[in-house]
Amino acid sequence: MKKLAIFGAGGFGREIACLINHINEKTPTWEIIGFFDDGVEKDTVISHFGTVLGGMDELNAWDSPLDLAIAIGNPQSLRFVRERIVNPHISFPNIIHPNFVMNDPQTFSIGEGNIMQGGCSVSCDVTIGNFNVFNGSISLGHDVSIANYNILMPALRISGEVSIGDENLIGVGAIILQQIKVGNNVRLGAGAVLMTKPKDGNTYIGNPAKKFRY
């Protein structure tokens, strides 16, 4: 099995370790060697999954091939961490739950570094970029495109012909109606129903979703 580490030693990191175990039960693929985290002391034990191997410096000094999953739930922080990893030995596989449903493999494409928890499904002509997090029970309709560094929370429903740009955070149980174009750095609240195009850099809540000012 290939060696894999997780960047991020918090609760999300443990969830990804659980996901790896589910994958290995069906198809033995990875051996989890531990965690990297700049905010947790080296050698700290993370539940029964392993210990912290160090931070970014230790990761960039790793001298053998290593697969890495980035366990960060904030879009901007996720991108920041990824762009600091310069070690050519590091690879970023897609970590996909075995029960993922892909209705049309011939028209489905996906980049690298994506994490997909259980219960997710995609229809036909779906394109997914890099380093997106699908937090479970998410449904994507036909002709959906999702770019990079998006955090999609559980039970999200995305209708057909929706496009999503970079660094967006979409809340639990939200709905995006058909043909909506979501740009960059948008936050959509839990349970919100997005019916019109949002403006970049803003937060939307409610049904129908409206711009929220703090």
Side-chain angles (χ1 to χ4, degrees), residues 103-109 123-127:
N103 287 332
D104 186 10
Q106 293 189 43
T107 61
F108 176 71
S109 67
S123 184
C124 53
D125 294 276
V126 170
T127 301

Side-chain angles (χ1 to χ4, degrees), residues 192-196 204-211:
V193 179
L194 190 62
M195 298 182 179
T196 58
Y204 291 79
I205 63 173
N207 180 6
K210 295 183 179 180
K211 187 164 65 173

Side-chain angles (χ1 to χ4, degrees), residues 96-111 114-129 132-146 152 156-162 164:
I96 299 176
H97 196 284
N99 71 7
F100 171 59
V101 175
M102 185 194 324
N103 287 332
D104 186 10
Q106 293 189 43
T107 61
F108 176 71
S109 67
I110 188 168
N114 296 283
I115 295 168
M116 193 170 294
Q117 297 280 13
C120 295
S121 65
V122 299
S123 184
C124 53
D125 294 276
V126 170
T127 301
I128 296 172
N132 298 286
V133 175
F134 295 77
N135 274 301
S137 300
I138 293 171
S139 175
L140 275 59
H142 65 87
D143 299 284
V144 167
S145 66
I146 296 176
L152 311 179
L156 169 63
R157 298 293 180 264
I158 299 178
S159 300
E161 300 181 32
V162 167
I164 296 176

Side-chain angles (χ1 to χ4, degrees), residues 19-86:
L19 174 57
I20 297 295
N21 287 341
H22 281 303
I23 293 170
N24 285 340
E25 287 171 2
K26 187 174 181 64
T27 306
T29 304
W30 287 292
E31 173 195 355
I32 300 174
I33 65 166
F35 299 79
F36 290 92
D37 196 310
D38 284 324
V40 180
E41 186 176 351
K42 187 176 180 179
D43 297 324
T44 298
V45 176
I46 306 301
S47 186
H48 57 90
F49 295 114
T51 62
V52 175
L53 304 171
M56 184 62 71
D57 290 342
E58 287 81 1
L59 178 61
N60 278 326
W62 199 262
D63 62 359
S64 59
L66 180 65
D67 284 353
L68 186 74
I70 303 178
I72 294 177
N74 175 277
Q76 290 72 36
S77 298
L78 174 58
R79 184 168 199 158
F80 177 73
V81 166
R82 169 60 190 97
E83 291 179 349
R84 290 175 63 207
I85 300 170
V86 296

Side-chain angles (χ1 to χ4, degrees), residues 72-79 130-135 145-153 156 158 162-171 176 180-189 194 198-204:
I72 294 177
N74 175 277
Q76 290 72 36
S77 298
L78 174 58
R79 184 168 199 158
N130 305 314
F131 300 98
N132 298 286
V133 175
F134 295 77
N135 274 301
S145 66
I146 296 176
N148 311 303
Y149 302 107
N150 296 286
I151 307 296
L152 311 179
M153 300 304 285
L156 169 63
I158 299 178
V162 167
S163 66
I164 296 176
D166 296 336
E167 298 182 40
N168 300 287
L169 176 60
I170 312 297
I176 301 177
I180 300 295
K181 297 186 183 302
V182 179
N184 305 311
N185 193 25
V186 171
R187 282 167 166 72
L188 185 61
L194 190 62
K199 294 182 179 180
D200 290 1
N202 286 282
T203 298
Y204 291 79

